[in-house]
Amino acid sequence: MIRVSVVGAKGRMGSHVVEAVNNAEDTQLALALDAGDDLTQIDADNTDVVVEFTVPSVSLNNVLTLIGQGVDIVVGTTGWTDEKLSQVRDAIAQGPKPLTQKVFIAPNFAISAVLADYFAVKAAKYFESAEVIELHHPTKVDAPSGTAIHTARGIAEARKAAGLAPVPDATETDGGSRGQVIDGIHVHAVRLRGLNAHEEVLFGNAGEQLTIRADSFDRTSFMPGVLLAVRKLASDAPAGLTVGLDHFLDL
Ligand SMILES: NC(=O)c1ccc[n+]([C@@H]2O[C@H](COP(=O)([O-])OP(=O)(O)OC[C@H]3O[C@@H](n4cnc5c(N)ncnc54)[C@H](O)[C@@H]3O)[C@@H](O)[C@H]2O)c1
Ligand SMILES: O=C(O)C1=N[C@H](C(=O)O)CCC1
């Protein structure tokens, strides 16, 4: 049995993770903690893998504390900048398990979103124009979504590697309608009651368009990916920091 502790256990995602861990045959719930609880209750004597779904403003500190506790960590919380990722790498190097510590961060655990991102990066070099639209429930605290940032960065990298010019855009006045520009790719965020988590990647050439769309209608869509990550960390995932569920899929 893999002993799993959940941090952010009372949240929308954390409560689904608690249920998924309780229902899977090879996992058992160790501790379920939330805001105000002492994370140093979690250690290698009671936990094999921690799953962290909290809020972007606290996730880095939680991860640093948990690295200090010597437990492997699956993180679904968004808000990861290059600088924060460097701090995680440094903490692993200076932590109690520098050679074996595993930390896994995924902007999205839904297979539809991971594949949309993968296909978008593959398609990127063939199109003059590319834009990303993410659409989420109105209780989401961050915009644009972590997934959209990841997708935009992947598209930008693929365009750069292919030597593409910047996306064409004659806009001279913009009150914000052209969205946030991430590495040269415009990203637009919609917040709408009734939605859960959705992303569209639009590619255009003269006379043609490709749209790649992923829809997570329900949070249960993230659970197979979370359990896959837990199982990989408890078995053959590499030590160190890994970002993205694509690393655990045979793509
Ligand atoms: N990677 C994915 O597939 C995926 C999917 C959905 C959501 N998310 C991300 O997961 C995060 C959580 O989303 P949500 O909808 O569950 O949010 P939520 O607000 O419903 O839940 C967050 C939980 O974290 C708790 N919390 C806050 N501060 C804490 C602290 N210091 N220590 C422990 N717990 C603390 C809150 O009390 C709350 O219960 C967001 O960043 C969201 O974007 C990622
Ligand atoms: O509901 C959320 O919040 C989600 N957050 C992640 C993101 O920002 O990409 C994944 C999708 C759902």
Side-chain angles (χ1 to χ4, degrees):
M1 281 292 219
I2 308 168
R3 300 164 305 162
V4 181
S5 286
V6 181
V7 174
K10 292 182 182 164
R12 289 178 288 264
M13 286 298 291
S15 53
H16 273 81
V17 175
V18 166
E19 196 182 333
V21 166
N22 279 329
N23 288 340
E25 286 184 352
D26 58 343
T27 55
Q28 72 181 44
L29 187 66
L31 293 157
L33 304 183
D34 203 274
D37 292 333
D38 179 4
L39 296 197
T40 63
Q41 291 176 77
I42 299 174
D43 60 31
D45 288 337
N46 55 40
T47 298
D48 299 307
V49 181
V50 182
V51 179
E52 205 268 7
F53 275 100
T54 59
V55 286
S57 54
V58 304
S59 188
L60 172 65
N61 272 343
N62 286 349
V63 170
L64 298 183
T65 301
L66 292 165
I67 289 171
Q69 294 300 105
V71 286
D72 294 333
I73 314 157
V74 168
V75 185
T77 312
T78 48
W80 292 93
T81 59
D82 287 343
E83 198 204 318
K84 286 182 177 181
L85 294 175
S86 288
Q87 288 188 57
V88 171
R89 286 191 191 92
D90 290 348
I92 292 172
Q94 288 152 24
K97 299 195 319 183
L99 300 179
T100 56
Q101 172 81 56
K102 300 175 189 179
V103 178
F104 175 73
I105 300 176
N108 205 307
F109 284 97
I111 185 71
S112 54
V114 177
L115 287 177
D117 191 78
Y118 177 77
F119 295 144
V121 171
K122 290 275 175 212
K125 69 177 178 185
Y126 300 104
F127 291 91
E128 217 184 320
S129 291
E131 303 219 358
V132 179
I133 307 172
E134 56 92 332
L135 311 91
H136 282 83
H137 56 93
T139 40
K140 182 168 177 56
V141 295
D142 54 323
S145 69
T147 309
I149 294 170
H150 192 255
T151 305
R153 285 188 181 147
I155 291 170
E157 230 171 79
R159 288 177 65 93
K160 190 175 168 200
L164 263 60
V167 293
D169 184 0
T171 308
E172 287 182 5
T173 56
D174 174 20
S177 300
R178 296 287 293 116
Q180 182 174 338
V181 185
I182 295 172
D183 295 351
I185 304 298
H186 291 255
V187 179
H188 311 267
V190 175
R191 296 291 174 265
L192 207 69
R193 186 71 69 202
L195 293 180
N196 183 35
H198 316 259
E199 181 172 293
E200 262 186 26
V201 187
L202 311 181
F203 290 108
N205 278 331
E208 64 171 347
Q209 183 183 331
L210 170 69
T211 303
I212 299 172
R213 180 171 172 120
D215 294 285
S216 273
F217 299 112
D218 189 277
R219 291 187 179 85
T220 51
S221 62
F222 302 116
M223 294 307 121
V226 172
L227 289 175
L228 170 65
V230 165
R231 290 175 181 127
K232 290 294 283 185
L233 263 64
S235 56
D236 61 345
L241 173 64
T242 305
V243 179
L245 196 69
D246 50 313
H247 290 284
F248 296 159
L249 299 169
D250 187 23
L251 296 177

